Amino acid sequence: MEVSKIFDRYKLKIADDTIYDFVRERYVHLTPEEIVRQKTLKFLMNRLGIPKDRIIVERSLGTLGVKGSKKRIDIGVYDEEGLLMAVVECKAPAVFNPEAAFTQAQNYLRELNTRYFFVTDGCSFEGFYYDTIKDIKLKEIPKYDRWYYYPIE
């Protein structure tokens, strides 16, 4: 899904070499990847309808139950029962390697046992559903309230 025009409309709070993360409610170091992450957070909430309290940012897999792992997910989305439902991998456009980002997100999905994983560079936003046998590339990104039913309908 092409998202660059949508992402371009999102305003960010930037001060010196920091950017405000409204989910973590603090300023963080400004990087191209962080800009993509912050715009992705706005997209998830504004376009997909994900409540802010269901989103986590920059969490190590160790804190999510994967013992000994120092890897970190960019964004995670919980369902209403508190189970991790999706992982979003954000990359800066200049360094975006779709296959590497896809593999990284796919590995996180398997380690964390989530249903969905998404990959974005701020220009495109690709979604995948894992049905316990294979990954299914989503033709469209469903709103959050449809994630329990999609793409099975």
Side-chain angles (χ1 to χ4, degrees):
M1 167 184 209
E2 171 64 35
V3 294
S4 59
K5 289 181 179 155
I6 296 168
F7 277 31
D8 285 346
R9 292 189 299 224
Y10 296 138
K11 304 294 182 222
L12 303 173
K13 290 172 72 175
I14 297 174
D16 299 320
D17 63 345
T18 63
I19 184 169
Y20 188 72
D21 181 323
F22 64 94
V23 173
R24 292 183 276 182
E25 297 180 347
R26 63 182 171 96
Y27 279 91
V28 297
H29 184 68
L30 178 63
T31 64
E33 182 175 320
E34 193 61 47
I35 291 171
V36 172
R37 186 174 13 258
Q38 293 308 312
K39 290 186 176 194
T40 301
L41 289 168
K42 289 181 180 275
F43 175 79
L44 294 173
M45 292 172 59
N46 297 338
R47 283 295 183 114
L48 301 185
I50 300 172
K52 180 180 170 183
D53 64 351
R54 304 255 172 92
I55 298 173
I56 57 171
V57 179
E58 283 280 297
R59 292 284 176 89
S60 72
L61 271 58
T63 64
L64 298 171
V66 179
K67 293 183 180 178
S69 181
K70 295 183 180 184
K71 297 183 235 173
R72 298 175 73 83
I73 62 170
D74 286 323
I75 300 170
V77 179
Y78 286 106
D79 65 12
E80 60 269 359
E81 295 171 5
L83 300 173
L84 192 63
M85 191 173 203
V87 172
V88 184
E89 184 59 32
C90 302
K91 296 292 183 193
V95 298
F96 186 58
N97 174 336
E99 191 61 35
F102 170 82
T103 301
Q104 184 178 4
Q106 189 179 47
N107 289 339
Y108 291 167
L109 173 133
R110 305 270 190 297
E111 290 180 70
L112 296 167
N113 195 30
T114 62
R115 287 183 187 209
Y116 291 94
F117 66 97
F118 302 96
V119 176
T120 186
D121 66 348
C123 298
S124 67
F125 189 91
E126 302 298 327
F128 300 86
Y129 176 84
Y130 181 63
D131 75 353
T132 70
I133 298 171
K134 63 182 178 192
D135 300 314
I136 301 168
K137 185 171 181 178
L138 302 175
K139 293 178 183 155
E140 64 182 57
I141 308 298
K143 293 216 179 260
Y144 177 71
D145 64 358
R146 303 299 306 153
W147 284 11
Y148 275 109
Y149 311 104
Y150 192 87
I152 302 165
E153 296 178 319

